[in-house]
Amino acid sequence: MKIEIIGNKKIHLILFHGWGIGKKIWHWIKLELSKYFTLHLFDMPGYGDNCNLYVHKIQDLIYMINQYIPQKCILIGWSMGGIITNHLALQYPKKIMAIINICSSPYFIKKNNWPGIEINFLKNMLNELKKNYRKTIINFLQYNVPNIMKDINNYNYIHNTLLKKPYPKPFILKKNLKIIKQSDLRNKIKKIKCPKLNIYGVLDKIVPIEIIYYLERKNTKSKIINHTAHLPFISQSKNFCTIIKKFISTLQNL
């Protein structure tokens, strides 16, 4: 498994991307965070540097990732990546110092008395990704960060780097969607003892901010970022990095 490591600082941050987009999504924050931390950027199996690596079960994926992360690290998971961080903290609690989940949920699907996303939205997005991956990702970025393509640097990065092939294959996207639909950690996350920060975008339609009322527990902090949706680390990158640094500064035994 190939991993990009940036920086040489004492504290190690392990970053896990979401559904459909690999580790290149961290472009907007990796330079700033690497001034203070060592970053480990993972491409999940089927994405980017690991496009030819396939893992069939999430338990096997968690076991594999554990082989590559250092002791006393801090996990950061965006969207689907939060499923990975929660599983790692549950299975290897002594190894994890803290968790930071961004626009994520222990259960993504909307149910009675549980805020989430309609399953048909995810199915439609899967179909759009299969038909035209490039166009679908651009639309997703523009929906969540409306002015993103007006900046020439963003425009060039998205077209020339973020959307550079290879793209995740349709069966990988379908497999990831299955993980999103079936992962229900609502009861299990109560067993996570390490400090945890949940970051939300006030305009997010995928993970509604109402979820914070269902996830309150000891050692958990929640932060809602105004004027942002499902990509707060892009639309509010400076504010986002400040929140990360402030939370980590409060941790004991650094």
Side-chain angles (χ1 to χ4, degrees), residues 2-130:
K2 297 179 182 178
I3 303 155
E4 181 182 0
I5 300 178
I6 306 172
N8 187 27
K9 304 299 182 181
K10 178 183 176 182
I11 301 173
H12 292 255
L13 307 186
I14 320 299
L15 286 79
F16 301 100
H17 62 78
W19 182 42
I21 309 176
K23 65 180 176 64
K24 294 174 184 176
I25 196 67
W26 302 116
H27 164 77
W28 286 268
I29 59 171
K30 68 179 184 180
L31 180 61
E32 175 64 18
L33 290 182
S34 65
K35 296 176 183 177
Y36 306 91
F37 314 105
T38 297
L39 308 184
H40 300 241
L41 309 183
F42 277 72
D43 266 329
M44 292 294 99
Y47 290 80
D49 291 342
N50 295 311
C51 62
N52 294 318
L53 179 64
Y54 307 123
V55 178
H56 296 288
K57 297 180 180 180
I58 191 167
Q59 293 87 352
D60 295 333
L61 174 60
I62 299 305
Y63 176 81
M64 176 187 292
I65 291 172
N66 180 57
Q67 311 305 308
Y68 293 91
I69 62 176
Q71 292 285 342
K72 299 299 179 183
C73 59
I74 298 172
L75 308 178
I76 299 181
W78 167 56
S79 197
M80 184 186 74
I83 296 174
I84 305 301
T85 64
N86 286 333
H87 273 287
L88 284 166
L90 286 165
Q91 292 186 222
Y92 306 101
K94 294 181 179 180
K95 203 169 187 177
I96 311 305
M97 181 188 299
I99 298 175
I100 301 171
N101 280 344
I102 310 156
C103 300
S104 191
S105 173
Y107 185 61
F108 280 84
I109 308 304
K110 183 179 180 180
K111 297 288 184 181
N112 291 334
N113 299 317
W114 184 261
I117 190 167
E118 297 285 352
I119 189 64
N120 285 337
F121 173 89
L122 294 174
K123 291 179 179 178
N124 290 338
M125 189 167 183
L126 175 62
N127 290 332
E128 293 301 315
L129 286 167
K130 287 180 179 179

Side-chain angles (χ1 to χ4, degrees), residues 10-14 36-37 71-76 95-101 192-198 217-221 242-254:
K10 178 183 176 182
I11 301 173
H12 292 255
L13 307 186
I14 320 299
Y36 306 91
F37 314 105
Q71 292 285 342
K72 299 299 179 183
C73 59
I74 298 172
L75 308 178
I76 299 181
K95 203 169 187 177
I96 311 305
M97 181 188 299
I99 298 175
I100 301 171
N101 280 344
I192 296 176
K193 303 301 181 184
C194 68
K196 187 173 184 180
L197 172 64
N198 294 319
R217 69 173 180 85
K218 187 179 179 181
N219 290 336
T220 296
K221 297 180 180 180
T242 298
I243 292 168
I244 295 292
K245 289 182 285 185
K246 184 176 181 179
F247 171 71
I248 293 175
S249 72
T250 67
L251 300 177
Q252 303 296 319
N253 301 318
L254 290 178

